[in-house]
Amino acid sequence: MEKSRYQFERLSLLLRTSIYCYADGKLEEYRPNAAFNPIRDNQTFREKLIALAREQEVPLLYQDSWQVIYTCIRDGESFILSGPVSMETIGSVELRRYYREYGMRSGSGRQIPAVPLALVIAVAQMMTKEFTGKEYSDQEFLQANRLGKESE
């Protein structure tokens, strides 16, 4: 994954969120950030994303009940995960509830970046190409992931 580090660091800057590689039971963060992140700080949630990604061919775009999106891309038993991003700015009260739901014990988490869905998909396509060598269309991402509806 070292050869892809530069690309993932740049994509992390573009989305204004974290990108991780999970392989051999280890989680590596590109462009480390001290802020609470459910992918890094909530193992149960991370395992849920990985399990869901194993169930489908097209990379996972998981939209939670807060309309926050996470990406999980599988290549064998290695995974690239990114998020959180939101399609709208989340109010301060809802943001505190969101972070509590994902296990943040105290403090107020940083605002989740508001990013257009087209950009989320485009970055997921670039990460997929870099990580797996495969290409998927916008339509394949949308159909496989049921975006716009709360994910199960």
Side-chain angles (χ1 to χ4, degrees), residues 59-79:
L60 176 71
L61 294 178
Y62 176 84
Q63 186 174 23
D64 69 11
S65 61
W66 300 93
Q67 306 306 305
V68 173
I69 298 174
Y70 296 86
T71 304
C72 187
I73 302 162
R74 177 177 56 93
D75 188 26
E77 287 302 307
S78 298
F79 301 85

Side-chain angles (χ1 to χ4, degrees), residues 33-101:
N33 183 335
F36 179 87
N37 186 303
I39 293 171
R40 181 191 60 229
D41 301 318
N42 185 325
Q43 181 178 349
T44 302
F45 179 65
R46 181 174 60 246
E47 289 171 354
K48 176 182 180 175
L49 293 176
I50 289 169
L52 290 170
R54 282 186 171 119
E55 294 175 4
Q56 62 187 55
E57 175 65 29
V58 176
L60 176 71
L61 294 178
Y62 176 84
Q63 186 174 23
D64 69 11
S65 61
W66 300 93
Q67 306 306 305
V68 173
I69 298 174
Y70 296 86
T71 304
C72 187
I73 302 162
R74 177 177 56 93
D75 188 26
E77 287 302 307
S78 298
F79 301 85
I80 293 292
L81 302 102
S82 72
V85 296
S86 179
M87 289 184 283
E88 297 178 357
T89 301
I90 299 175
S92 60
V93 172
E94 289 81 15
L95 191 62
R96 281 193 296 278
R97 289 180 184 150
Y98 162 85
Y99 278 115
R100 266 197 310 264
E101 180 177 312

